[in-house]
């Protein structure tokens, strides 16, 4: 591998695929001495339910709290495995665009690690996968992690 990566983004959604992507991103970050950025996107329910979202505020905050706890665990795992710097982000929005256009970090992301599929099978059938969107719309290199081990 000739490329040396400085800032690696891994997108996680709780699926087995994203867990494998996370594990691969940790290995690459350690090998490159790179900063690891871990992103979880809570899809805004308003995209599907319109005004019902207003009454779901508590549910969304509970989801955020749970996901922030999971992110702390992922951060600890990455640090234990030898990654020197880890940042975690829990954001609301549309996963495809937030991953492809990720700009939270101080340094530009030069590698995105993402699972081939995620939790949203319906969208994959109807619209196309988040992974396909990211591959086609980001400026960074993308490593797609397959579920076959």
């Amino acid at each position: 591998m000739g490329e040396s990566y400085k800032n690696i983004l891994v997108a996680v959604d709780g699926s087995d695929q994203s867990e494998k992507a996370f594990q691969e991103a940790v290995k690459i970050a350690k090998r490159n001495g790179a900063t690891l950025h871990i992103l979880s996107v809570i899809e805004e329910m308003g995209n599907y339910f319109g005004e019902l979202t207003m009454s779901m505020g508590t549910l969304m905050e509970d989801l955020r709290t749970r996901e922030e706890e999971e992110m702390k665990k992922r951060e600890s795992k990455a640090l234990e495995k030898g990654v020197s710097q880890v940042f975690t982000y829990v954001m609301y929005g549309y996963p495809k665009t937030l991953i492809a256009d990720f700009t939270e970090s101080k340094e530009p992301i030069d590698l995105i690690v993402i699972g081939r599929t995620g939790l949203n099978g319906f969208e994959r059938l109807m619209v196309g996968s988040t992974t396909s969107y990211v591959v086609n719309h980001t400026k960074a290199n993308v490593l797609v992690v397959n579920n076959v081990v």
Side-chain angles (χ1 to χ4, degrees):
M1 179 185 290
E3 188 76 27
S4 179
Y5 298 108
K6 302 275 185 242
N7 285 283
I8 299 169
L9 172 68
V10 61
V12 296
D13 67 2
S15 67
D16 290 342
Q17 285 285 314
S18 74
E19 182 58 30
K20 289 177 180 151
F22 168 73
Q23 292 170 8
E24 189 66 26
V26 167
K27 290 179 201 172
I28 297 168
K30 180 181 176 184
R31 188 169 55 235
N32 284 268
T35 298
L36 182 63
H37 302 266
I38 310 169
L39 172 64
S40 175
V41 179
I42 299 171
E43 193 158 357
E44 292 179 343
M45 303 302 268
N47 292 341
Y48 301 110
F49 301 111
E51 295 300 316
L52 183 59
T53 302
M54 296 296 200
S55 63
M56 297 180 74
T58 303
L59 173 63
M60 296 298 281
E61 281 305 311
D62 289 346
L63 282 171
R64 182 180 188 90
T65 299
R66 261 186 293 174
E67 195 53 36
E68 285 173 347
E69 290 170 7
E70 287 300 313
M71 295 298 265
K72 287 178 187 174
K73 291 176 189 175
R74 288 183 184 105
E75 178 181 14
S76 293
K77 283 182 191 176
L79 292 170
E80 288 170 10
K81 297 276 185 180
V83 177
S84 59
Q85 193 167 30
V86 180
F87 294 101
T88 63
Y89 311 87
V90 177
M91 304 173 98
Y92 292 108
Y94 199 48
K96 289 179 179 185
T97 55
L98 285 174
I99 297 166
D101 299 333
F102 186 77
T103 58
E104 282 291 316
S105 63
K106 294 178 183 175
E107 299 294 326
I109 298 298
D110 37 32
L111 178 66
I112 297 174
V113 181
I114 190 168
R116 185 170 54 89
T117 60
L119 289 177
N120 196 340
F122 176 76
E123 181 182 66
R124 195 167 54 250
L125 290 172
M126 301 306 293
V127 182
S129 74
T130 296
T131 301
S132 292
Y133 182 91
V134 171
V135 166
N136 288 299
H137 290 88
T138 190
K139 294 177 183 175
N141 288 339
V142 180
L143 173 64
V144 178
V145 177
N146 201 345
N147 64 344
V148 179
V149 179

